[in-house]
Amino acid sequence: DGGITQSPKYLFRKEGQNVTLSCEQNLNHDAMYWYRQDPGQGLRLIYYSQIVNDFQKGDIAEGYSVSREKKESFPLTVTSAQKNPTAFYLCASSITGPTNEQFFGPGTRLTVL
Amino acid sequence: DQQVKQNSPSLSVQEGRISILNCDYTNSMFDYFLWYKKYPAEGPTFLISISSIKDKNEDGRFTVFLNKSAKHLSLHIVPSQPGDSAVYFCAIRAPPQFYFGTGTSLTVIP
């Protein structure tokens, strides 16, 4: 059963702590993405990766870091430098090509106390 | 600067009637347009798409219209059903990125 998994669904952390959000896909997609959603706002791109061992900053990369050591995995670390980390985080993947849609995971709700 | 705008944050429609969701964009270089549906606390799911060489694409009850001269995209749902109640995002591809609108919350009243 192909898809994207994100874990955990809910995550609580104390202010000042780094936290890593997991994203795994078994769709054999080359491209993977991380978005952040805040109330009343659209999805804003944090980082994306089109191929293993390569990734690019999106519109709001400050305070975040990623790695892409395997095609299936694209973990996101929310660092203590991120000023307002409480949000709903969505991971997506897609094939690369002219008519590619993104497939999304179920999301992780991060709350920083 | 927001490249994709959905100016209506919410829309209520009676069951069986037509729902029309709208989206405006700024960059004429965009080549592929998509609509996603999202339920609370879940990831968006792909609904329908259209490429810039077409002006209409239909899939069952869902039709997407593209007006390139007006830089306007719309999604028509006919007939609307209570299960269609969700937040709808338009998304526009400017390779390698996708840009998303802020979403329109659709409520279909039984």
Side-chain angles (χ1 to χ4, degrees):
Chain A
D1 202 10
I4 301 178
T5 57
Q6 291 185 245
S7 60
K9 192 160 180 66
Y10 298 96
L11 191 55
F12 296 88
R13 279 294 182 268
K14 290 184 179 179
E15 197 172 336
Q17 288 181 335
N18 290 359
V19 60
T20 297
L21 282 60
S22 165
C23 177
E24 303 278 332
Q25 55 99 0
N26 60 4
L27 299 167
N28 200 33
H29 286 169
D30 287 314
M32 296 186 76
Y33 311 78
W34 273 105
Y35 292 92
R36 168 181 172 141
Q37 187 190 13
D38 294 285
Q41 297 201 36
L43 281 63
R44 293 185 292 166
L45 183 64
I46 304 172
Y47 268 98
Y48 65 97
S49 168
Q50 292 186 280
I51 196 167
V52 174
N53 291 322
D54 185 55
F55 49 82
Q56 306 295 328
K57 291 182 179 180
D59 299 321
I60 55 165
E62 185 176 349
Y64 299 98
S65 66
V66 293
S67 63
R68 187 84 188 275
E69 296 175 2
K70 297 187 298 182
K71 187 175 186 177
E72 304 79 22
S73 179
F74 191 40
L76 173 75
T77 297
V78 185
T79 75
S80 56
Q82 167 50 231
K83 292 185 173 59
N84 188 16
T86 294
F88 188 55
Y89 290 88
L90 286 159
C91 179
S93 72
S94 72
I95 60 172
T96 50
T99 57
N100 51 329
E101 70 262 24
Q102 293 179 315
F103 293 81
F104 283 85
T108 293
R109 167 73 62 185
L110 173 65
T111 302
V112 175
L113 307 169
Chain B
D1 192 20
Q2 209 170 352
Q3 304 221 38
V4 185
K5 291 183 181 178
Q6 291 177 258
N7 292 318
S8 298
S10 62
L11 175 68
S12 290
V13 172
Q14 287 290 135
E15 181 178 4
R17 306 294 290 268
I18 185 171
S19 295
I20 300 176
L21 297 95
N22 295 303
C23 179
D24 296 300
Y25 60 94
T26 56
N27 190 334
S28 58
M29 297 301 292
F30 293 145
D31 67 346
Y32 192 57
F33 306 83
L34 310 93
W35 284 96
Y36 285 84
K37 179 179 179 179
K38 184 181 180 303
Y39 294 113
E42 292 184 11
T45 54
F46 170 72
L47 198 55
I48 193 170
S49 62
I50 188 168
S51 75
S52 58
I53 61 172
K54 295 186 175 181
D55 54 19
K56 177 182 174 181
N57 188 27
E58 196 169 349
D59 184 3
R61 296 186 297 114
F62 303 92
T63 303
V64 56
F65 294 92
L66 176 62
N67 183 334
K68 289 185 286 295
S69 60
K71 299 194 186 78
H72 182 79
L73 184 71
S74 64
L75 174 68
H76 292 207
I77 306 173
V78 181
S80 300
Q81 298 173 354
D84 295 330
S85 297
V87 177
Y88 290 78
F89 290 96
C90 64
I92 296 173
R93 193 179 80 114
Q97 294 191 34
F98 291 78
Y99 293 96
F100 286 80
T102 51
T104 295
S105 179
L106 174 65
T107 302
V108 180
I109 303 163

